Amino acid sequence: HYIGAIHFFSGLLTRLQTSAPTIRTLSSSNSFPQNIPSCLWKLGRLNHVAIAVPDLEKAQSLYKDVLGAQVSETVALPEHGVYTVFVELGNTKLELLHPLGEQSPIASFLQKNKTGGMHHICIEVDDIKAAMTELKKKKIRILSEEPKIGAHGKPVIFLHPKDCHGVLVELEEA
């Protein structure tokens, strides 16, 4: 039986090797269009995904106690009208947002979305001023005239969600 099994598998292997499709690699000229304009700034990695939460303590507990993530202390950012908590993930972070004050943009978001939900994504850029100049030329609306200092102590801007396919995009200078 042992010799028969070897012949069977040997024949099967030969048939698999000969019937396997040939895989061709794409040349770099076929992968992406080459007419991408060169920018004076570069888009970097995803810094975080922000989630508006109606109950900050419950949300912290979910990520810390239930899912076992490393969760920061609550930080108040009065100039943005939010409390923030960062949840460390291996490759990025979650930012939990809770309203701070009556004029908080998160308060109005939670009025429309009672259980909370994704509020924005944050992507790093190497030069926020150059990004602003170029995005304005491309008719992308920026929600402030100048960058503000964000939760990480770095300049940030927000792009209008109607210009970004329904997503509020935050750009943070890395």
mmCIF file of all heavy atoms in Angstrom, residues 54-76:
data_model
loop_
_atom_site.group_PDB
_atom_site.id
_atom_site.type_symbol
_atom_site.label_atom_id
_atom_site.label_comp_id
_atom_site.label_asym_id
_atom_site.label_seq_id
_atom_site.Cartn_x
_atom_site.Cartn_y
_atom_site.Cartn_z
ATOM 1 N N PRO A 54 -22.146 58.531 22.988
ATOM 2 C CA PRO A 54 -23.009 59.234 23.939
ATOM 3 C C PRO A 54 -22.589 58.998 25.393
ATOM 4 O O PRO A 54 -22.859 59.826 26.251
ATOM 5 C CB PRO A 54 -24.397 58.657 23.660
ATOM 6 C CG PRO A 54 -24.148 57.338 23.015
ATOM 7 C CD PRO A 54 -22.842 57.452 22.301
ATOM 8 N N ASP A 55 -21.924 57.877 25.675
ATOM 9 C CA ASP A 55 -21.481 57.555 27.033
ATOM 10 C C ASP A 55 -19.999 57.186 26.978
ATOM 11 O O ASP A 55 -19.637 56.064 26.599
ATOM 12 C CB ASP A 55 -22.315 56.407 27.597
ATOM 13 C CG ASP A 55 -22.028 56.114 29.062
ATOM 14 O OD1 ASP A 55 -20.872 56.312 29.507
ATOM 15 O OD2 ASP A 55 -22.958 55.674 29.763
ATOM 16 N N LEU A 56 -19.155 58.139 27.346
ATOM 17 C CA LEU A 56 -17.709 57.962 27.226
ATOM 18 C C LEU A 56 -17.186 56.847 28.133
ATOM 19 O O LEU A 56 -16.346 56.046 27.721
ATOM 20 C CB LEU A 56 -16.994 59.287 27.518
ATOM 21 C CG LEU A 56 -15.522 59.374 27.140
ATOM 22 C CD1 LEU A 56 -15.278 58.989 25.686
ATOM 23 C CD2 LEU A 56 -14.991 60.775 27.403
ATOM 24 N N GLU A 57 -17.693 56.773 29.362
ATOM 25 C CA GLU A 57 -17.221 55.731 30.287
ATOM 26 C C GLU A 57 -17.559 54.333 29.782
ATOM 27 O O GLU A 57 -16.735 53.424 29.868
ATOM 28 C CB GLU A 57 -17.801 55.953 31.685
ATOM 29 C CG GLU A 57 -17.131 57.099 32.422
ATOM 30 C CD GLU A 57 -17.670 57.288 33.832
ATOM 31 O OE1 GLU A 57 -18.287 56.355 34.387
ATOM 32 O OE2 GLU A 57 -17.464 58.390 34.373
ATOM 33 N N LYS A 58 -18.760 54.157 29.261
ATOM 34 C CA LYS A 58 -19.159 52.850 28.712
ATOM 35 C C LYS A 58 -18.274 52.477 27.522
ATOM 36 O O LYS A 58 -17.872 51.328 27.372
ATOM 37 C CB LYS A 58 -20.631 52.870 28.265
ATOM 38 C CG LYS A 58 -21.596 52.399 29.280
ATOM 39 C CD LYS A 58 -22.975 52.254 28.620
ATOM 40 C CE LYS A 58 -24.034 51.947 29.651
ATOM 41 N NZ LYS A 58 -25.373 51.929 29.065
ATOM 42 N N ALA A 59 -18.005 53.460 26.669
ATOM 43 C CA ALA A 59 -17.177 53.203 25.479
ATOM 44 C C ALA A 59 -15.750 52.845 25.898
ATOM 45 O O ALA A 59 -15.166 51.895 25.374
ATOM 46 C CB ALA A 59 -17.185 54.417 24.556
ATOM 47 N N GLN A 60 -15.191 53.596 26.874
ATOM 48 C CA GLN A 60 -13.852 53.276 27.381
ATOM 49 C C GLN A 60 -13.820 51.859 27.926
ATOM 50 O O GLN A 60 -12.882 51.107 27.682
ATOM 51 C CB GLN A 60 -13.447 54.254 28.496
ATOM 52 C CG GLN A 60 -12.971 55.582 28.008
ATOM 53 C CD GLN A 60 -12.702 56.532 29.166
ATOM 54 O OE1 GLN A 60 -13.620 56.948 29.858
ATOM 55 N NE2 GLN A 60 -11.442 56.876 29.362
ATOM 56 N N SER A 61 -14.841 51.499 28.676
ATOM 57 C CA SER A 61 -14.918 50.173 29.282
ATOM 58 C C SER A 61 -14.987 49.075 28.225
ATOM 59 O O SER A 61 -14.357 48.028 28.373
ATOM 60 C CB SER A 61 -16.127 50.097 30.215
ATOM 61 O OG SER A 61 -16.215 48.809 30.772
ATOM 62 N N LEU A 62 -15.745 49.318 27.167
ATOM 63 C CA LEU A 62 -15.834 48.319 26.091
ATOM 64 C C LEU A 62 -14.441 48.009 25.543
ATOM 65 O O LEU A 62 -14.042 46.851 25.462
ATOM 66 C CB LEU A 62 -16.733 48.813 24.954
ATOM 67 C CG LEU A 62 -16.653 47.964 23.668
ATOM 68 C CD1 LEU A 62 -17.270 46.589 23.872
ATOM 69 C CD2 LEU A 62 -17.282 48.677 22.499
ATOM 70 N N TYR A 63 -13.711 49.050 25.177
ATOM 71 C CA TYR A 63 -12.406 48.836 24.545
ATOM 72 C C TYR A 63 -11.357 48.341 25.535
ATOM 73 O O TYR A 63 -10.521 47.504 25.193
ATOM 74 C CB TYR A 63 -11.937 50.105 23.831
ATOM 75 C CG TYR A 63 -12.760 50.355 22.588
ATOM 76 C CD1 TYR A 63 -13.784 51.288 22.582
ATOM 77 C CD2 TYR A 63 -12.561 49.595 21.444
ATOM 78 C CE1 TYR A 63 -14.564 51.482 21.457
ATOM 79 C CE2 TYR A 63 -13.338 49.784 20.314
ATOM 80 C CZ TYR A 63 -14.342 50.726 20.327
ATOM 81 O OH TYR A 63 -15.118 50.900 19.217
ATOM 82 N N LYS A 64 -11.413 48.818 26.785
ATOM 83 C CA LYS A 64 -10.409 48.439 27.780
ATOM 84 C C LYS A 64 -10.737 47.099 28.443
ATOM 85 O O LYS A 64 -9.923 46.175 28.427
ATOM 86 C CB LYS A 64 -10.299 49.540 28.837
ATOM 87 C CG LYS A 64 -9.215 49.315 29.863
ATOM 88 C CD LYS A 64 -9.153 50.485 30.839
ATOM 89 C CE LYS A 64 -8.028 50.295 31.837
ATOM 90 N NZ LYS A 64 -7.969 51.412 32.785
ATOM 91 N N ASP A 65 -11.927 46.996 29.027
ATOM 92 C CA ASP A 65 -12.273 45.838 29.857
ATOM 93 C C ASP A 65 -12.770 44.646 29.044
ATOM 94 O O ASP A 65 -12.485 43.506 29.389
ATOM 95 C CB ASP A 65 -13.320 46.232 30.901
ATOM 96 C CG ASP A 65 -12.838 47.384 31.777
ATOM 97 O OD1 ASP A 65 -11.620 47.476 32.027
ATOM 98 O OD2 ASP A 65 -13.680 48.206 32.193
ATOM 99 N N VAL A 66 -13.510 44.903 27.982
ATOM 100 C CA VAL A 66 -14.071 43.804 27.190
ATOM 101 C C VAL A 66 -13.101 43.356 26.096
ATOM 102 O O VAL A 66 -12.828 42.175 25.939
ATOM 103 C CB VAL A 66 -15.441 44.203 26.578
ATOM 104 C CG1 VAL A 66 -15.986 43.094 25.694
ATOM 105 C CG2 VAL A 66 -16.430 44.565 27.692
ATOM 106 N N LEU A 67 -12.559 44.334 25.343
ATOM 107 C CA LEU A 67 -11.689 43.992 24.214
ATOM 108 C C LEU A 67 -10.206 43.978 24.569
ATOM 109 O O LEU A 67 -9.388 43.524 23.779
ATOM 110 C CB LEU A 67 -11.949 44.960 23.051
ATOM 111 C CG LEU A 67 -13.381 44.922 22.494
ATOM 112 C CD1 LEU A 67 -13.567 45.986 21.440
ATOM 113 C CD2 LEU A 67 -13.721 43.544 21.952
ATOM 114 N N GLY A 68 -9.837 44.487 25.746
ATOM 115 C CA GLY A 68 -8.456 44.410 26.207
ATOM 116 C C GLY A 68 -7.489 45.385 25.552
ATOM 117 O O GLY A 68 -6.278 45.152 25.545
ATOM 118 N N ALA A 69 -7.992 46.481 25.033
ATOM 119 C CA ALA A 69 -7.114 47.466 24.377
ATOM 120 C C ALA A 69 -6.500 48.403 25.407
ATOM 121 O O ALA A 69 -7.016 48.567 26.517
ATOM 122 C CB ALA A 69 -7.910 48.270 23.349
ATOM 123 N N GLN A 70 -5.410 49.033 24.997
ATOM 124 C CA GLN A 70 -4.799 50.089 25.813
ATOM 125 C C GLN A 70 -5.582 51.375 25.538
ATOM 126 O O GLN A 70 -5.695 51.799 24.389
ATOM 127 C CB GLN A 70 -3.336 50.249 25.428
ATOM 128 C CG GLN A 70 -2.582 51.242 26.272
ATOM 129 C CD GLN A 70 -1.127 51.353 25.842
ATOM 130 O OE1 GLN A 70 -0.556 50.435 25.285
ATOM 131 N NE2 GLN A 70 -0.543 52.503 26.098
ATOM 132 N N VAL A 71 -6.121 51.983 26.592
ATOM 133 C CA VAL A 71 -7.002 53.139 26.463
ATOM 134 C C VAL A 71 -6.418 54.301 27.260
ATOM 135 O O VAL A 71 -6.037 54.135 28.417
ATOM 136 C CB VAL A 71 -8.428 52.786 26.964
ATOM 137 C CG1 VAL A 71 -9.339 53.991 26.923
ATOM 138 C CG2 VAL A 71 -9.005 51.642 26.141
ATOM 139 N N SER A 72 -6.361 55.478 26.640
ATOM 140 C CA SER A 72 -5.793 56.663 27.297
ATOM 141 C C SER A 72 -6.767 57.235 28.323
ATOM 142 O O SER A 72 -7.938 56.862 28.372
ATOM 143 C CB SER A 72 -5.471 57.734 26.254
ATOM 144 O OG SER A 72 -6.658 58.384 25.826
ATOM 145 N N GLU A 73 -6.263 58.186 29.083
ATOM 146 C CA GLU A 73 -7.117 58.968 29.969
ATOM 147 C C GLU A 73 -7.960 59.913 29.111
ATOM 148 O O GLU A 73 -7.616 60.206 27.976
ATOM 149 C CB GLU A 73 -6.254 59.792 30.935
ATOM 150 C CG GLU A 73 -5.464 58.948 31.925
ATOM 151 C CD GLU A 73 -6.348 58.092 32.816
ATOM 152 O OE1 GLU A 73 -7.352 58.615 33.340
ATOM 153 O OE2 GLU A 73 -6.049 56.891 32.961
ATOM 154 N N THR A 74 -9.028 60.421 29.687
ATOM 155 C CA THR A 74 -9.870 61.406 29.007
ATOM 156 C C THR A 74 -9.156 62.761 28.992
ATOM 157 O O THR A 74 -8.621 63.187 30.009
ATOM 158 C CB THR A 74 -11.224 61.541 29.725
ATOM 159 O OG1 THR A 74 -11.843 60.256 29.772
ATOM 160 C CG2 THR A 74 -12.131 62.534 29.018
ATOM 161 N N VAL A 75 -9.137 63.395 27.824
ATOM 162 C CA VAL A 75 -8.531 64.715 27.681
ATOM 163 C C VAL A 75 -9.590 65.679 27.154
ATOM 164 O O VAL A 75 -10.284 65.370 26.180
ATOM 165 C CB VAL A 75 -7.318 64.662 26.706
ATOM 166 C CG1 VAL A 75 -6.759 66.057 26.455
ATOM 167 C CG2 VAL A 75 -6.237 63.735 27.240
ATOM 168 N N ALA A 76 -9.718 66.821 27.806
ATOM 169 C CA ALA A 76 -10.657 67.855 27.361
ATOM 170 C C ALA A 76 -9.967 68.759 26.355
ATOM 171 O O ALA A 76 -8.847 69.205 26.581
ATOM 172 C CB ALA A 76 -11.129 68.671 28.562
#
